[in-house]
Every structure is written in C-alpha cells, then in structure tokens.
Amino acid sequence: MAMFRRPRKSSPPLRRKQQEIARQEAELHDKLDRLERMVTKGRPFPQNRSPAQAAEQSVRGNKAEKQFQVSLALDGSHSLEASRPAGRPRSLRKERREGRIIFLLLLTALAAAVMWLISHLHS
C-alpha cells in the first residue's frame, strides 16, 4: 500500500512577505542606482547666457539646492548599531535614584489622600 503525501501548501505568509520585501528592496536599489547616475552625470550648463539669465538661474538653483540637500552618509554599509560602542551600556544609577524618589513622593501623596478621605468620610 503506497503512502500518499499531501501536496505542499503555498508558501507560508511570512515567507511570502519576506519575498515581497526582498523584491521591493531590489527595486529600490535599482531606483537609487539610476538616481545616483543621474546626479553624478549632472546637467550640461549652457555657456552662452546673458548675465540676467545667469543671475536668475543661480537664484533658482540656490533655492532648489537648499530644498533638496540630501546626505548620503546613511547607505547600506553603515548602521546605527555599528556606530554605538560594543562595550557595556552606561550606568543608569542616577535615573533609578530619581525614579525611586518620585515613586516615594507619589506614594506618600497617595497615603495622605487616602488618610484625608478616610477622616472626612467617617465624620
């Protein structure tokens, strides 16, 4: 008697999501490469312009440069985790002490409020 195997179901939702993310990432990398090539290629500037046109172009160019300044410092090879030192995290002693003080103040305020309520409700 032969054992029949059930056909495999389609890939699980997590796997499909990973594939979709990988596809989107590849598309974005392609788009980024095209844009970088466009930026590095640059636009040819005509040399036979009048002084008025040159001044107008520089004013418009400065506005565009200020508006679209982009830092290329965060590319795929650098990550936020890599910039943090790998040693022990810094001590949180001061924050803990302040937290304890605030907790004790709130606790005493709550105790005072409860005692006030009890004294006024009994009379």
Side-chain angles (χ1 to χ4, degrees):
M1 196 155 105
M3 293 184 64
F4 295 102
R5 291 187 180 175
R6 290 190 314 188
R8 279 189 62 117
K9 294 181 180 177
S10 64
S11 58
L14 180 62
R15 179 74 177 159
R16 276 185 268 146
K17 188 70 173 174
Q18 288 174 338
Q19 290 171 345
E20 178 68 21
I21 290 172
R23 185 187 60 78
Q24 289 175 352
E25 185 178 4
E27 289 176 0
L28 289 174
H29 279 293
D30 292 342
K31 195 173 187 179
L32 179 65
D33 289 340
R34 277 187 271 127
L35 290 173
E36 284 178 349
R37 274 187 260 125
M38 285 173 42
V39 169
T40 55
K41 185 173 71 171
R43 290 183 286 179
F45 291 104
Q47 298 298 328
N48 52 0
R49 292 189 298 185
S50 70
Q53 288 175 341
E56 180 184 331
Q57 181 66 28
S58 68
V59 168
R60 254 190 284 142
N62 287 342
K63 285 182 184 176
E65 285 176 15
K66 288 178 184 175
Q67 185 177 6
F68 295 112
Q69 279 185 339
V70 176
S71 172
L72 296 177
L74 287 178
D75 60 344
S77 62
H78 295 74
S79 66
L80 295 176
E81 294 85 24
S83 65
R84 206 173 71 192
R88 259 186 31 199
R90 64 184 181 88
S91 175
L92 300 176
R93 190 177 302 149
K94 181 179 178 183
E95 287 84 356
R96 287 187 191 130
R97 185 175 58 239
E98 290 173 353
R100 284 187 198 121
I101 292 170
I102 291 173
F103 174 75
L104 291 174
L105 287 174
L106 290 173
L107 190 63
T108 55
L110 179 65
V114 167
M115 289 189 322
W116 181 81
L117 280 173
I118 290 174
S119 67
H120 280 70
L121 289 178
H122 276 268
S123 14

